[in-house]
Amino acid sequence: MSDLIRVTLPDGSAREVARGTTPADIAAAIGPGLAKAALAARVDGEVRDIMRPLEADTNLALITAKDEADALELARHDFAHVLAEAVQKLHPGTQITFGPATDDGFYYDVMAPASRGPFTEDDLPGIEEAMRDIIRADKPLRREVVARDALIKTWKDAGESFKAEWAAELPEGEELSVYWSGDDWMDMCRGPHLASTGKLDPQAFKLMRVAGAYWRGDQNNAQLTRIYGTGWLNKKQLDAHLLRLEEAAKRDHRRLGAEMDLFHLQQEAHGSVFWHPNGYVIYRQLEDYMRRAIQGAGYQEIKTPQLMDVHQWEQSGHWGKYAENMFAVPDIVPDVESGAPKVAADADWMAIKPMNCPAHVLVFKQGIKSYRDLPMRLYENGCCHRNEAHGALHGIMRVRQFTQDDAHIFCREDQIVAEVQDFCALADRVYKDFGFKYAIKLALRPDKRFGSDADWDKAENELRDAVVRAGLATEEYGWEELPGEGAFYAPKLEWHLTDAIGRTWQVGTIQSDRVLPERLDATYVGEDGAKHRPAMLHRAIFGAYERFIGILIEEYAGRFPVWLAPVQAVVATIVSDADDYAKQVTAKLEASGIRVETDLRNEKINYKVREHSLAKVPHLLVVGNREAEEGKVAIRTLGSEGQRIMTVDEAIAMLVAEATPPDLRA
C-alpha cells in the first residue's frame, strides 16, 4: 500500500499527501487564512472533524463559517456537549443521555443527582457561565474509537446507567467513538465536532428553558430534565434570533386568540378548536373566499363521511402505513346498562378519516366515467382527525381535528402537466391576495413507497415540467428539490410561505399519484373504448383552515385586513347626546354589509379608543354633538396617527372598499 493518497479539492485541483494527513494540515498548506477559518471538512460528501486523519484517496471540501448550514450544525452540536460538561462540573453525579442540535439551537437531556431536585430555570445562569469558562479554556476536542465492552464498563463505573444501556444496544460491529474535551471529560458520540471548544463564540449562545422528558421518549421510563439552548456563530446572529423570538411572542396566536376572543382549547377535547363568534367570522370568510376560488377554477364541491370501514383504509394502504395516527372505533352499540362497553374479538372496526382522498375516489367511481368527463375536480372542506401525541399539539397550528381545503383532480395522463400548471397559477393568486411571498419545492420519492420506479420517474418529471412552464422554477421562487421528502404514494410540490418576521410555513401542496387509483380500482373509458386508470392529483392551498388562521393571526399580529376582521368598525360616542346619531350611523353601515358594533358606554373617549385598539378593530368612528349636527364622523384607523373627518357616505364608501375581499375587487 502506498504511503501517499490523492486529495481532490472542489476546484478540481489535486495534491498527493501522506496517508494520515488531516484536513487541517491541508488547510494550513493552502494558506494561514484558511487554516484559521476552516472548521471541519466534507470528505467524500460526509462532514468530518478537521483533525481526523485521511486514510485513502478522497474528495475534500473545507468547511468555514461561510458554509453556514454546516457550520451552525457543528457549533450547535458542540454547544450541546459543552452544556453537558458544564452541568456535570457544577453538579457532580448528574447523568447525561443525549444532546442533539436543533433547527435553532440544541438541547441535552440529563438526570439531576439524587442530592437535589430536577434542574430549573434558576440553574441556567450558572450553567451558562460554566459553559463560557469551558469555551474560553479552548479545550481540544479529540475523537477516540473504543471497544464496546470497555466503553460499557467505563459508563457503568461512572454511574452513567443511561449511557451504558445505550452502548450495549448499539449494533454489533458498529464502530463506537467518544469525544474528549481536553483530558478530563468525554461523551459518546459519532461526531463530527470542531477542533476545540475555543472555536465557539462564548457570547453566541443562550440557555432558554427547561422541560420534562422521558428516557428514550417512553413515559414508562425515567423522567429527565431537558435543557434547551439557542446557539449561533456569533453574537450578532444570536441577538437577531432573540429579537425574532420577542416579536414572535407578541404575535403568538394563542395569546392573541384569547385577547381577541377568537377561540379556545381545553382538555375535554385535546387538539380540537372551540371557535368563538369572532374567530368563526374569520373562518367563514376564508371558506367563502376559497369557494369562490375553486368555483372559478372548475371544481365541484362534495361532502364525504367521517367514518369508513377499516377495510377501506386497508385497501387504500393507509392502514398499513398510517394506522398509528388514526382513530379507530368498534362498530358496536354500547351496552350502557352494564357500564363500559365490551368489544367482541370479531367486531368490525371503523376509522375516522385522517384524510379525504379514499372517499373522493369512491365518489369518482360512482357511474361510468368517460375520457370526455376528465379532468374531474372534486373539492371538499373536509374535516379530518389525526391521532397526534398530546405533547406535539401546539395551539391551533397543530391539532387533532382540522378541516382541509382539499381537492382531488382525476385526469388523463396527457392532462397532468396542464392541471398542475393551472394549480400553480391558482395558488399564486391566493397567496398574493394574503400578502405572502413563497418558495416552491419538489419533494422526491422516499425510501419506503408504493409504486414502480418508472411511475415515480414519470410523476416527478410531470411536476417538474409544470413548475418550469409556470415560470416558477427560479431562484426568485426559491425552487429546490428535496430528495426523500415525498409521500409514500406520490411526489409532491410544496409551497413554503414566508411571514412578516421571516419564518417559513409549509402550507400548500399538489401530489401526482398513480398508486391510489390502482389500489381502489378507479377507471374511465378511453377514446379507444378500453378502461384506463386516471391519474389523481391531491392538492390543497390553505392546507388546514385551523393552521392557516393561526399563521394569519401571527402574520398580521392580530391586525387583520378589513375584509377579514371580525369587527370591521365601531361607532363610539363622546357624549350620550350623540347616542341616537351613533345608532343611525351604525344602521347605515350594517345596511352596507359592514360588520359594526356601537359603543354607547358612559366612558371617556380615550378609554374607548384604547380598548378598541387593543381589540384590533380596524376603524373607530367617533361621534359627538358636532358630528351629529354636520352629518359626519371622525375616523381613527388602527395603527395611524390622528383622525380623518368624513361624511357618513364617504366613510361608508371607504369601509365598503376595504371590506371587499381581494378577489372581488375591480
Side-chain angles (χ1 to χ4, degrees), residues 126-388:
I127 297 172
E128 280 186 357
E129 197 51 47
M131 290 176 67
R132 292 191 178 94
D133 289 342
I134 293 168
I135 293 169
R136 294 188 188 104
D138 195 18
K139 300 174 70 176
L141 300 175
R142 174 173 53 85
R143 182 177 185 268
E144 179 184 345
V145 177
V146 293
R148 174 187 303 274
D149 291 344
L151 181 58
I152 294 171
K153 183 177 187 303
T154 297
W155 289 131
K156 287 182 176 178
D157 290 347
E160 297 280 7
S161 61
F162 301 113
K163 289 286 189 184
E165 178 184 327
W166 185 249
E169 293 183 9
L170 290 172
E172 290 288 344
E174 180 175 328
E175 184 178 77
L176 301 186
S177 59
V178 300
Y179 276 80
W180 286 92
S181 173
D183 294 316
D184 60 342
W185 190 85
M186 66 96 168
D187 195 2
M188 181 169 65
C189 184
R190 292 188 178 93
H193 282 279
L194 300 172
S196 70
T197 60
K199 292 289 186 180
L200 297 170
D201 183 341
Q203 303 303 319
F205 78 93
K206 180 177 177 58
L207 299 184
M208 304 298 291
R209 60 190 176 92
V210 299
Y214 293 102
W215 168 236
R216 301 173 82 164
D218 187 338
Q219 63 183 0
N220 296 313
N221 290 339
Q223 187 162 16
L224 310 170
T225 300
R226 178 168 295 175
I227 303 176
Y228 286 95
T230 185
W232 301 84
L233 299 180
N234 52 59
K235 188 175 187 299
K236 182 179 179 181
Q237 288 182 340
L238 172 65
D239 289 344
H241 176 68
L242 295 178
L243 186 61
R244 285 194 299 271
L245 291 181
E246 183 180 339
E247 183 61 30
K250 295 176 185 176
R251 295 168 177 263
D252 190 313
H253 73 279
R254 295 166 296 181
R255 181 176 68 83
L256 289 172
E259 289 179 0
M260 298 175 67
D261 195 23
L262 302 180
F263 62 84
H264 82 275
L265 301 113
Q266 63 185 70
Q267 289 185 346
E268 286 77 3
H270 272 298
S272 299
V273 185
F274 292 82
W275 291 105
H276 297 190
N278 282 347
Y280 203 54
V281 167
I282 300 169
Y283 193 106
R284 291 188 61 187
Q285 286 297 312
L286 292 178
E287 276 190 324
D288 292 345
Y289 172 93
M290 188 53 69
R291 280 198 170 97
R292 292 192 299 270
I294 61 105
Q295 287 167 2
Y299 290 78
Q300 302 172 77
E301 187 169 359
I302 60 174
K303 197 70 177 173
T304 60
Q306 287 290 301
L307 275 172
M308 291 202 302
D309 195 291
V310 160
H311 296 304
Q312 182 66 43
W313 299 104
E314 290 173 341
Q315 189 178 353
S316 70
H318 291 86
W319 192 251
K321 296 282 186 181
Y322 205 73
E324 70 275 10
N325 298 111
M326 297 172 66
F327 290 101
V329 295
D331 188 8
I332 61 171
V333 176
D335 178 6
V336 295
E337 297 297 329
S338 59
K342 296 180 180 179
V343 180
D346 60 349
D348 291 329
W349 285 83
M350 308 284 284
I352 306 176
K353 65 178 178 181
M355 51 198 70
N356 302 297
C357 27
H360 287 203
V361 177
L362 298 183
V363 172
F364 175 83
K365 287 176 62 177
Q366 292 298 299
I368 298 172
K369 300 297 185 295
S370 162
Y371 70 95
R372 294 188 183 90
D373 298 322
L374 305 184
M376 177 176 284
R377 307 179 188 97
L378 300 179
Y379 174 86
E380 179 174 8
N381 283 320
C383 181
C384 298
H385 292 75
R386 293 182 185 171
N387 194 3
E388 301 278 3

